Amino acid sequence: MKNLMIAIIYILAISCTNSSEKSKEVENLLEKISILEKKNNILKDSISKNEKDYLNSIFLIGIPYNQSFKIGKKDSISMLFHPSFKKLPKYEIYRIEDKKEIKIGENNNSKFNLAFTPKSIEDNKLKLIVKMPNKGNEIVYKCEVTLDVEK
């Protein structure tokens, strides 16, 4: 009987020790989770800042397909964002005519083509605005392409 009591006391002591160790292990795991969540938030902020910096650093370039344009003849201009190594969010393209913004399309590629038909020799400037959303804000890119227009 005495041996049985000693065995029971020993088993209880071991189980209490295991419970205490498990409690410490759970505490350590919760602390590690908290640290990882903080690091994850720092990484998210860093990625978000990197995306914002990238969008603020790119610029829009217009490259005509032909050296000169003819009055009344439709021709193409290739528009591209430089540098263009990342996917862009969906943006809106506006042409500026008589100080009015006229929406001419949407895109999310780093390159798009525009058709342009000059009406006169003086109609040699293509003015564009591209509006790109970025986390609740809007980044506006302006571009003016001067063209050689002939009769």
Side-chain angles (χ1 to χ4, degrees):
M1 186 72 158
K2 192 176 184 182
N3 287 342
L4 182 63
M5 285 298 248
I6 292 173
I8 291 173
I9 292 173
Y10 179 73
I11 291 172
L12 287 173
I14 289 176
S15 67
C16 288
T17 305
N18 281 343
S19 175
S20 173
E21 286 176 10
K22 286 183 181 179
S23 174
K24 286 182 182 179
E25 188 176 323
V26 167
E27 271 183 48
N28 287 341
L29 288 174
L30 289 173
E31 185 177 334
K32 286 180 181 180
I33 288 171
S34 176
I35 290 169
L36 289 173
E37 285 175 341
K38 287 177 185 174
K39 287 182 178 182
N40 190 37
N41 285 336
I42 290 169
L43 286 173
K44 283 181 184 176
D45 291 344
S46 177
I47 289 170
S48 179
K49 182 183 179 320
N50 189 8
E51 288 174 359
K52 181 181 175 185
D53 289 348
Y54 171 73
L55 291 176
N56 284 324
S57 71
I58 61 177
F59 52 94
L60 186 60
I61 302 170
I63 304 168
Y65 279 90
N66 295 309
Q67 189 172 1
S68 62
F69 283 54
K70 302 271 186 206
I71 296 173
K73 184 180 176 200
K74 185 190 276 188
D75 213 332
S76 293
I77 301 170
S78 181
M79 304 298 297
L80 57 104
F81 286 97
H82 180 76
S84 60
F85 56 87
K86 287 187 179 181
K87 185 174 168 123
L88 299 173
K90 189 174 186 178
Y91 54 84
E92 297 175 336
I93 307 162
Y94 296 86
R95 186 168 173 183
I96 307 299
E97 288 184 13
D98 301 322
K99 298 182 182 181
K100 293 179 187 173
E101 293 181 6
I102 302 164
K103 186 174 178 179
I104 58 172
E106 295 178 341
N107 206 331
N108 68 341
N109 295 320
S110 60
K111 179 182 175 186
F112 59 94
N113 292 318
L114 286 178
F116 180 70
T117 306
K119 298 172 190 129
S120 68
I121 290 181
E122 290 80 32
D123 190 15
N124 65 342
K125 293 193 188 302
L126 175 65
K127 295 179 183 180
L128 297 175
I129 290 180
V130 172
K131 296 180 180 181
M132 190 177 297
N134 180 34
K135 309 244 189 268
N137 296 320
E138 186 174 70
I139 300 173
V140 177
Y141 302 93
K142 295 180 180 182
C143 181
E144 184 173 312
V145 180
T146 302
L147 307 164
D148 182 26
V149 178
E150 300 174 345
K151 285 188 175 186

